[in-house]
Amino acid sequence: MVEDEVAHEAYLHYRRLLDGSWMGEAICWTVFVPHNGSALGLAEIGERVSGTGQFEIHETDTFEHEEVFLNLSDDAPWGMLVDRSDRHVALFEYNGFQGVYPPVLPRLSAGGRAYSACWNVNATNSIGFAVDGEMVFSFNGMYAEEATELHGWPQVQAVLPYFDWQKGESWRAAALTAIELATGVRLSEEWVGEAPFFLMGR
């Protein structure tokens, strides 16, 4: 069960992060949590995301400014920042959506669970959840109350009132809150600046 205070604190963090920020315009945030606590290698992450083996791995400290690797994705089919540990894999795309849709999210979820939320500047969006190679469900964050499968993702149910944009709430912040509550992984400006690796599709 999600404690109200914990959920509220996380939601306020994401409201502050997104309000007036470039991150509120067009991002995709994807987190994979392995069942066995075993870290995925960068090559395996690249294989799961690409599905074709056509990808490049870069260390972000080889770029002079972080804006460079965020903009690199404009010249490739996809590009994402990567951080990994034995507890999770976190993937961040600027103005991309590779992580959220089938077949990528189910492929990424093999041996664990994967959560993703993305949106663009037009508020076109998708929030998805996959387990053990199977897509459980996805829904439109602007109409979360209409989704019928939310019992499969209890953290979304716990923050459902925060999806109510017609009452001044932020469905974007609510989506990121649900991912944090489900995974323990927080997106922040510091994370974007410190993520050690960048994967790029070829």
Side-chain angles (χ1 to χ4, degrees), residues 133-154:
E134 299 289 336
M135 195 75 176
V136 177
F137 65 86
S138 63
F139 65 95
N140 185 320
M142 295 186 71
Y143 305 101
E145 74 283 355
E146 298 177 9
T148 59
E149 312 94 336
L150 294 182
H151 61 277
W153 188 348

Side-chain angles (χ1 to χ4, degrees), residues 53-190:
Q54 301 297 307
F55 61 90
E56 299 172 0
I57 300 171
H58 300 272
E59 292 187 13
T60 55
D61 63 8
T62 63
F63 299 105
E64 187 175 353
H65 302 290
E66 64 187 51
E67 293 85 359
V68 175
F69 54 75
L70 290 175
N71 292 331
L72 275 179
S73 58
D74 293 341
D75 301 318
W78 54 268
M80 55 181 61
L81 291 169
V82 183
D83 188 19
R84 52 181 282 279
S85 71
D86 58 358
R87 298 183 304 277
H88 71 266
V89 172
L91 308 170
F92 178 88
E93 300 169 71
Y94 171 59
N95 201 25
F97 52 84
Q98 182 82 354
V100 76
Y101 292 118
V104 175
L105 195 62
R107 235 180 2 237
L108 187 63
S109 75
R113 8 180 211 108
Y115 305 83
S116 190
C118 77
W119 55 81
N120 67 15
V121 70
N122 298 316
T124 301
N125 73 91
S126 183
I127 302 162
F129 171 43
V131 179
D132 289 326
E134 299 289 336
M135 195 75 176
V136 177
F137 65 86
S138 63
F139 65 95
N140 185 320
M142 295 186 71
Y143 305 101
E145 74 283 355
E146 298 177 9
T148 59
E149 312 94 336
L150 294 182
H151 61 277
W153 188 348
Q155 294 82 8
V156 171
Q157 288 183 300
V159 298
L160 199 56
Y162 295 141
F163 279 89
D164 194 346
W165 56 273
Q166 293 180 329
K167 291 186 177 180
E169 303 292 352
S170 168
W171 58 266
R172 295 173 178 85
L176 297 178
T177 300
I179 292 176
E180 176 175 327
L181 295 175
T183 65
V185 182
R186 171 162 288 190
L187 175 61
S188 65
E189 288 188 1
E190 291 76 18

Side-chain angles (χ1 to χ4, degrees), residues 22-33:
W22 58 270
M23 280 196 260
E25 294 183 0
I27 66 168
C28 187
W29 176 239
T30 306
V31 180
F32 165 70
V33 179

